[in-house]
Amino acid sequence: MKRLLRMLAVAGVIALMSTALFGCGQGGQEGQEGGEGGEEAKGQVELGYVEWDSEIASTNVVKKVLEDQGYEVKITAVDAGIMWTGIGNGDFDGIVAAWLPGTHGDYYEKVKDNVENLGPNLDGAKIGLAVPAYMDINSIDELNSVKDELDGEIIGIEPGAGIMSATEKAIEDYSLDLNLKDSSTAAMTATLKSKIENEEAVVVTEWTPHWPFAAWDLKYLEDPEGSYGGEEHIATIVRPGLKEEMPDVYKILDNFYWSPKDMETVMLNTQQGLKPAEAAAQWIENNQDKVSKWVE
């Protein structure tokens, strides 16, 4: 009997030691994953964006900054409606591609109670209709006078983009005898390039910041009816709970702010042959003073 009691006592001690050791092991692993200097990613972050040159630039810059801070970052290109539905449903952790108050205003109104608006990450944005400077018209209400030269078309971008709905409004506001042709940002800029090389008439949907204004001599047509609204900004929107769950990610997204010139630099480098991620990395390397304020 005594032998049995001794065996049970020894087994109990072993069990207690195993439990203690196992518990310490788990705690140590958790501390390593969350601790400073750990090799594993701090967590996964997903950003949504519309596949405009401007938003490709900003989203890749933010992606690289977050990756440099130890996060695994997934970026997902979608149409504007899906981007806003995604952030409204919490499918994305954040977006840095919200053109407000005009271009994406209708989308924002639908989800504003389900998201957190961190404010502008870029001021001085604008949308409208643009033509080559060599064209003799200066206002949208003059477009009907050159409709034959334009083949009856305004060259647009992706269907669903806010600038497309604003252009539909402009067609009504100015009783334009022109059709809005949807395409893609790449197709629109390719058409613009071809027309300019041949000094032909063309009118396109455009926005600032965008690299074509740096590449060619373009001008916005005046908009006396205000179809395109006034100056816009690009805002950062995040899902509820991000601040509590990923405070460092929230801080970086909240601090992210740059200028139209910064954005155009990334866009131009991409246009000239760098991949978006390469252009973003190059800009970050050359602007450490600005980036350090986002992560501090």
Side-chain angles (χ1 to χ4, degrees), residues 278-291:
E278 295 171 338
Q282 185 182 84
W283 184 88
I284 289 169
E285 183 178 352
N286 294 332
N287 291 273
Q288 281 296 306
D289 55 338
K290 187 165 291 187
V291 175

Side-chain angles (χ1 to χ4, degrees), residues 33-258:
E33 287 179 353
E36 185 176 354
E39 293 184 358
E40 295 190 24
K42 293 179 179 177
Q44 187 177 68
V45 180
E46 183 165 3
L47 305 174
Y49 68 106
V50 286
E51 206 164 16
W52 300 351
D53 294 337
S54 53
E55 308 324 310
I56 291 172
S58 59
T59 303
N60 273 277
V61 165
V62 172
K63 175 178 184 284
K64 174 63 175 169
V65 171
L66 289 170
E67 287 176 340
D68 288 347
Q69 296 301 307
Y71 294 93
E72 181 182 343
V73 184
K74 178 182 179 182
I75 59 175
T76 304
V78 291
D79 287 340
I82 298 174
M83 178 182 78
W84 282 98
T85 301
I87 191 66
N89 291 339
D91 297 332
F92 299 130
D93 294 301
I95 62 174
V96 294
W99 282 63
L100 298 173
T103 306
H104 289 161
D106 290 343
Y107 294 119
Y108 178 61
E109 283 298 314
K110 293 177 183 176
V111 304
K112 67 180 182 182
D113 294 334
N114 301 324
V115 299
E116 184 176 357
N117 185 344
L118 300 183
N121 60 58
L122 182 147
D123 287 304
K126 179 180 179 179
I127 64 171
L129 292 179
V131 299
Y134 55 73
M135 289 183 66
D136 291 332
I137 60 172
N138 294 300
S139 176
I140 295 175
D141 56 14
E142 297 177 80
L143 279 171
N144 280 340
S145 67
V146 293
K147 66 177 183 179
D148 291 338
E149 298 172 47
L150 297 170
D151 296 325
E153 290 184 336
I154 297 171
I155 308 301
I157 57 170
E158 291 81 359
I163 195 172
M164 295 294 279
S165 57
T167 302
E168 294 284 5
K169 183 177 185 302
I171 289 173
E172 292 184 9
D173 291 345
Y174 293 92
S175 299
L176 297 179
D177 191 15
L178 296 164
N179 294 317
L180 176 59
K181 180 181 180 181
D182 61 52
S183 58
S184 65
T185 302
M188 181 274 286
T189 53
T191 299
L192 182 61
K193 179 176 184 292
S194 174
K195 293 288 186 179
I196 289 174
E197 288 176 347
N198 293 292
E199 290 197 25
E200 296 176 341
V202 64
V203 58
V204 298
T205 54
E206 263 296 354
W207 58 94
T208 300
H210 198 200
W211 64 266
F213 283 97
W216 302 303
D217 192 5
L218 303 177
K219 60 182 178 184
Y220 277 112
L221 294 178
E222 295 171 7
D223 178 20
E225 296 291 337
S227 302
Y228 290 93
E231 185 174 291
E232 298 205 60
H233 63 267
I234 307 175
T236 299
I237 309 290
V238 299
R239 63 170 175 81
L242 184 69
K243 185 175 184 178
E244 293 74 23
E245 296 168 26
M246 307 183 92
D248 287 342
V249 173
Y250 179 95
K251 177 188 68 179
I252 291 170
L253 292 175
D254 196 21
N255 288 341
F256 171 55
Y257 185 85
W258 61 348

